[in-house]
Amino acid sequence: MTTSELTLPPTAEVKRERRRVMGAGKQLHAGPLTYVVLVVFALVSLAPLVWTAVAASRTDRRLAETPPPLWFGGNLFKNLQAAWDQAGLGTAMFNSLIVAGTITVSTVLFATLAGFAFAKLRFRFSGLLLLLTIGTMMIPPQLALVPLYLWMSDFGWSNQLQTVILPSLVTAFGTFFMRQYLVQALPTELIEAARMDGASSLRVVWHVVFPAARPAMAVLGLLTFVFAWNDFLWPIIALNQQNPTVQVALNSLGTGYVPDQAVIMAGALLGTLPLLIAFLLFGKQIVGGIMQGAIKG
């Protein structure tokens, strides 16, 4: 009896596994409906930004007419210059970069460390501390404005950038976000192997935790930067027009008996440009990091 006669026919499970392996190397192609849906979503998402640019290129009188303009005019650079000068956006841009950059770096660093501790370390009252951290997310931030303002006044930090930076150095959302990611993305065996090789806690964090958490850190960094850049409520209370962030400076464009809507739109466009530039520069790395983390998971 030959070897071929002893070979049993493949089972249904083996056949499905073969088809799965053979199909894994094939590239998936989207159908026409997928492209239509993506184009519609892209147009809807870009519509507010395009309308802001159109309004910024027109005059205030033209914006008040019916129907409103649907295409660009010739006053874009004039309105941009007027918004830049009236709101003092040079100083405001610099202040916002300091505030948003510091908050982003601090939040990503501390949230990753705290998330790692809650996810992989065992210590007393860890569950209670995590519950309290999550519970702070349920408290409306408006309730903390008065005591926070009094606290910062006692420090003598009124109208200074550290008044805006200090309360946002770490967030409960960032800690919970990193904890949930590291629970699945960071194997406990990898940490134990590093410990057995004699790695210290700092070396484990630097060479094991940070590389594993890089995709989530990139996402958290982008979300934190956008939130810090667009924050308005606390900066408008803590700062003044002599030392503003972008959102505080843009608030001055809406003052007056008859605000110039075209100049306001030009200021809003200038305030949005840094976020667009940041996404264009780092969006590919962020998406690539997310996909890399998904494949590893």
Side-chain angles (χ1 to χ4, degrees):
M1 185 176 292
T2 62
T3 305
S4 59
E5 293 175 347
L6 293 175
T7 304
L8 297 177
T11 62
E13 294 182 359
V14 174
K15 292 181 179 179
R16 286 195 297 268
E17 182 65 18
R18 289 178 180 176
R19 288 195 295 266
R20 187 188 68 81
V21 173
M22 294 177 62
K26 297 180 180 179
Q27 185 176 5
L28 299 178
H29 296 279
L33 181 60
T34 303
Y35 288 103
V36 172
V37 173
L38 291 177
V39 169
V40 171
F41 272 95
L43 292 177
V44 172
S45 301
L46 291 175
L49 180 62
V50 173
W51 164 247
T52 301
V54 170
S57 65
R58 296 287 183 167
T59 61
D60 190 51
R61 178 177 297 181
R62 178 65 184 90
L63 293 178
E65 296 177 356
T66 303
L70 299 177
W71 193 246
F72 298 94
N75 295 326
L76 178 60
F77 294 102
K78 177 183 177 181
N79 292 334
L80 291 176
Q81 185 64 45
W84 184 275
D85 295 336
Q86 292 179 22
L89 287 180
T91 302
M93 289 277 190
F94 181 74
N95 289 343
S96 285
L97 284 175
I98 294 177
V99 171
T102 304
I103 290 175
T104 299
V105 173
S106 173
T107 299
V108 171
L109 176 62
F110 290 133
T112 303
L113 294 176
F116 165 64
F118 282 123
K120 296 299 177 180
L121 301 184
R122 296 294 174 260
F123 53 94
R124 295 182 63 183
F125 307 116
S126 60
L128 178 60
L129 291 175
L130 179 61
L131 183 62
L132 291 176
T133 302
I134 298 174
T136 60
M137 299 170 59
M138 305 177 186
I139 302 175
Q142 292 80 2
L143 295 179
L145 292 180
V146 174
L148 188 58
Y149 182 81
L150 295 176
W151 187 25
M152 294 302 165
S153 297
D154 292 338
F155 285 152
W157 289 350
S158 298
N159 302 321
Q160 298 183 28
L161 295 183
Q162 56 262 38
T163 308
V164 181
I165 295 174
L166 184 63
S168 303
L169 288 179
V170 67
T171 61
F173 167 77
T175 301
F176 179 70
F177 177 79
M178 295 305 303
R179 187 261 178 191
Q180 294 300 104
Y181 180 84
L182 289 174
V183 165
Q184 299 294 334
L186 181 60
T188 306
E189 294 79 7
L190 194 61
I191 301 174
E192 294 176 351
R195 295 286 191 186
M196 293 180 63
D197 290 340
S200 61
S201 298
L202 181 61
R203 191 169 184 180
V204 169
V205 170
W206 185 260
H207 292 283
V208 178
V209 178
F210 282 169
R214 190 175 301 164
M217 292 171 68
V219 175
L220 180 61
L222 179 61
L223 295 176
T224 304
F225 185 84
V226 172
F227 177 80
W229 184 274
N230 291 330
D231 191 18
F232 175 76
L233 181 59
W234 175 237
I236 195 64
I237 296 174
L239 304 177
N240 55 25
Q241 293 296 333
Q242 282 68 44
N243 193 33
T245 58
V246 168
Q247 309 308 323
V248 176
L250 292 179
N251 184 58
S252 64
L253 294 177
T255 59
Y257 185 72
V258 182
D260 193 329
Q261 299 297 327
V263 175
I264 294 175
M265 290 297 182
L269 185 62
L270 286 173
T272 308
L273 284 179
L275 298 179
L276 297 177
I277 294 174
F279 185 78
L280 290 176
L281 291 177
F282 303 107
K284 185 176 180 180
Q285 288 79 1
I286 292 173
V287 174
I290 295 173
M291 296 304 298
Q292 182 181 4
I295 293 173
K296 288 182 178 180

